[in-house]
Amino acid sequence: MSSDSLHNLTAHEAANLLGARQTSSEELTRAYLDRIQAVEDEVKAYVTVLDAGAMEQARQADRQLAAGEGGPLTGVPMQLKDNLTTSGVVTTCSSRMLKDFVPPYDATVVDRLRGAGAVFLGKGNMDEFAMGSSTENSAFFATHNPWGLDKVPGGSSGGPAAAVAASEATYSLGSDTGGSIRQPAALCGVVGLKPTYGLVSRYGLIAFASSLDQIGPMTKDVTDSALVLNAIAGHDPMDSTSAPQQATDYTEALVPDVKGMRLGVPKEYFVEGMDHRVTAAVEAAIASLEDMGASVDREVSLPTTPYALAVYYIIAPSEASANLARYDGVKFGYRAEDTQDIWEAMEHTRQQGFGAEVKRRIMLGTYALSAGYYDAYYLRAQKVRTLISQEFEQVFERYDALLAPTSPSVAFGLGEKMDDPMQMYLSDVCTIPANIAGIPGISVPCGFVDGLPVGLQVLGPHFGEQALFRVAYAYEQAHEWHSMRPNL
Amino acid sequence: MPTRYLFVEGVQALCYTGAVCERVFMELTRAEVIHITALCRVAMTDDELETMRSQLSDILGHFETLQELDVEGVAPTGHLGMSQTVLREDSPRPSLAREDVLANAPLREDNYFRVHAVLDE
């Protein structure tokens, strides 16, 4: 295989070539670094590229492979979203606040991938502190959608989604608090999985909203998604919210057969104002799964769905306002200069260190938690959260998985929604309910509108990742969407 | 308790916090926004305050839909999947090296984080 096409490989294809000694990790890594060099000016998916470090890891992986000690991800070059701490490597969260922050430890997922022999190409751009739906809130630069360079890649994991779509990495890890893996995956035409809350350790994921955050794979296909989940899932004593689940081989769920599966289509996800061409693409995907033998019920109702957005934009900012209180200019991160006292130092540090969206969320959360408003906002939102979770539980007694759009539109124009935060928030309307209930969701490419990708979302019950993989894999294998690459 | 202005079908009405109002557009006052900045210790310019006032009012207006739902007797969900507190053995283990921790300090003096005086003389 010529080195100029090596970067188009999926992780499992790359691993097969490495295993058969048809390429080396060094050659593969060099091909990716060349690819980054060639397209990064247009895409801008990376905050940091680790040329030397990646080549060193590649040589080490080649030694492991030569000794027959490699696993399924050994020597495969990948990217990490820049809110995952990497020991000795700057981790910015795309914020001025952490522009020079060099963490003294690895996130658990980073540690596990290191152990699996992964090659780290660099750190992916994102909305500052993972707050946003377009990656335009990065304090450094916006990322461009590889399918349309004047369009957003979605967010907050826009760097990872664009990097995978542009073949600047075989795969990446993102984080999803309200759709930040699935929505950019849909908008960039890649596969994005938000695992069940607690399946993947959050240790070393820079906190945004602790009861909603979850790390997951962003990949070129469903097989890679299962392989990467195998590597990162599992209980971690460093995260007391990580679930004591038994290890599972998710690749066993990769069966191209949905016969007999009970699938439901919740009508509330086809929201008012949705792009009808996106609706048509998603409905065609649903019909296709029905043709393949699944039983599909199109009359499923989750009546509290319309309230999920309000619940989310109260709970997530509330948790963020507490989590981000640590940025006070004392122990790490940015510190304002020329301040007179401790309060001014704190206030100016945050004024200068945080961007507009982060401040908006801190303010919103502080308000929702403040005396006199706590009951009306935060407590009420938590109660509605219970109702939303119960509704999912009841529905999953009758269905193995639910099918819905991932996003109500395809990628929108850069700058289009930046002046209207509420419009931006509405782009998360189909992904937020899964985070509220802690259930898993996967977005898989299901077509194009005006040359821009559309995503089909599959939702499952807690720890129902196998059902998601089975539906997503069967659908993917029956179509060609996953093998399409943008012209760059 | 602070008062808030509510706009009901174009008619300005005065409402007290905590009252259940449907389909209202809520306007935060400038004083309320200043109060929030004081609580979360974020400095803002006058322009930032006004932008924040208008945007937060818009966002909070959308959230009023939550008041429609009957949540009587519903238990709040604070965290998912945690039925009990997780405890571990209190066994000694190495923590981060002092130099590694202090390496990120914006202001440092010897082995200390340097800050402004906290207590008055």
Side-chain angles (χ1 to χ4, degrees), chain A residues 27-283:
Chain A
E27 186 185 22
L28 199 55
T29 302
R30 175 51 55 204
Y32 273 99
L33 292 171
D34 288 348
R35 173 67 175 175
I36 293 168
Q37 182 86 30
V39 302
E40 183 60 5
D41 276 354
E42 290 180 298
V43 180
K44 300 169 102 53
Y46 280 84
V47 173
T48 305
V49 178
L50 300 167
D51 299 80
M55 291 310 292
E56 178 50 41
Q57 280 181 309
R59 284 187 285 272
Q60 201 179 322
D62 281 331
R63 285 193 291 274
Q64 262 183 290
L65 288 161
E69 291 163 2
L73 296 174
T74 304
V76 179
M78 58 85 62
Q79 186 210 49
L80 298 159
K81 187 177 182 180
D82 209 19
N83 58 353
L84 298 168
T85 59
T86 38
S87 181
V89 171
V90 66
T91 300
T92 68
C93 253
S94 288
S95 178
R96 258 193 304 280
M97 191 62 91
L98 292 175
K99 189 170 70 68
D100 303 310
F101 174 57
V102 180
Y105 65 98
D106 275 336
T108 295
V109 291
V110 174
D111 185 53
R112 288 189 180 174
L113 286 175
R114 232 186 253 288
V119 172
F120 302 149
L121 292 166
K123 309 295 292 284
N125 196 25
M126 53 187 281
D127 284 299
E128 183 180 9
F129 281 96
M131 297 175 188
S133 312
S134 70
T135 314
E136 292 166 290
N137 292 329
S138 166
F140 309 133
F141 46 80
T143 297
H144 298 232
N145 192 314
W147 291 96
L149 292 169
D150 57 342
K151 303 285 193 254
V152 302
S156 67
S157 309
V164 175
S167 294
E168 292 185 76
T170 46
Y171 67 97
S172 188
L173 287 190
S175 66
D176 190 315
T177 305
S180 281
I181 287 174
R182 291 161 289 156
Q183 184 256 19
L187 269 46
C188 288
V190 301
V191 175
L193 170 74
K194 182 203 92 73
T196 304
Y197 184 82
L199 183 60
V200 178
S201 168
R202 292 182 296 111
Y203 180 70
L205 167 63
I206 295 177
F208 162 14
S210 306
S211 80
L212 302 160
D213 296 342
Q214 187 63 194
I215 300 166
M218 305 186 74
T219 57
K220 284 196 168 100
D221 68 7
V222 178
T223 303
D224 280 3
S225 191
L227 279 172
V228 176
L229 187 63
N230 277 354
I232 62 173
H235 182 253
D236 175 16
M238 298 302 279
D239 174 3
S240 62
T241 64
S242 83
Q245 290 291 115
Q246 283 194 322
T248 304
D249 179 3
Y250 293 99
T251 61
E252 286 175 5
L254 301 175
V255 183
D257 177 15
V258 288
K259 279 191 203 70
M261 283 191 91
R262 303 164 304 164
L263 307 178
V265 182
K267 56 187 180 192
E268 289 83 3
Y269 282 68
F270 294 83
V271 294
E272 210 180 308
M274 187 171 160
D275 185 331
H276 64 91
R277 299 166 303 173
V278 171
T279 309
V282 172
E283 278 174 354

Side-chain angles (χ1 to χ4, degrees), chain A residues 303-325:
Chain A
T304 59
T305 303
Y307 300 97
L309 193 76
V311 168
Y312 177 81
Y313 278 103
I314 291 168
I315 289 176
S318 295
E319 294 184 15
S321 73
N323 275 326
L324 272 63

Side-chain angles (χ1 to χ4, degrees), chain A residues 389-399:
Chain A
S389 299
Q390 288 171 346
E391 233 169 56
F392 272 120
E393 268 170 43
Q394 286 160 12
V395 162
F396 284 124
E397 285 171 11
R398 285 177 288 135
Y399 305 97

Side-chain angles (χ1 to χ4, degrees), chain A residues 102 197 307 313 329-330 332 335 339 341 343 347 350-351 359-360 366 373 376-377 380 382 385-386 422, chain B residues 2 32 40-41 43 48 55 62-69 74-75 77-80 86 104 106-107 116:
Chain A
V102 180
Y197 184 82
Y307 300 97
Y313 278 103
V330 175
F332 56 92
R335 179 185 177 87
T339 56
D341 60 39
W343 297 122
E347 288 163 359
R350 291 175 183 152
Q351 178 180 34
K359 287 179 200 167
R360 207 147 41 226
T366 302
Y373 301 98
Y377 288 109
R380 180 166 275 266
Q382 285 189 314
R385 184 176 193 179
T386 304
M422 199 59 219
Chain B
E32 281 177 301
C40 62
R41 295 283 176 192
E48 281 179 304
Q55 290 176 337
H62 283 83
F63 294 174
E64 291 297 311
T65 57
L66 282 188
Q67 310 301 329
E68 298 166 12
L69 280 175
V74 177
T77 298
H79 222 286
L80 299 157
V86 180
N104 278 298
L107 277 183
H116 288 295

Side-chain angles (χ1 to χ4, degrees), chain A residues 329-393:
Chain A
V330 175
K331 293 189 289 297
F332 56 92
Y334 178 77
R335 179 185 177 87
E337 289 177 6
D338 301 324
T339 56
Q340 300 308 308
D341 60 39
I342 191 162
W343 297 122
E344 198 181 272
M346 210 178 277
E347 288 163 359
H348 288 195
T349 291
R350 291 175 183 152
Q351 178 180 34
Q352 296 161 23
F354 289 139
E357 183 60 31
V358 174
K359 287 179 200 167
R360 207 147 41 226
R361 306 250 182 138
I362 290 172
M363 294 282 286
L364 204 49
T366 302
Y367 181 72
L369 293 174
S370 66
Y373 301 98
Y374 181 90
D375 286 6
Y377 288 109
Y378 187 65
L379 189 63
R380 180 166 275 266
Q382 285 189 314
K383 288 178 177 176
V384 179
R385 184 176 193 179
T386 304
L387 295 177
I388 293 169
S389 299
Q390 288 171 346
E391 233 169 56
F392 272 120
E393 268 170 43

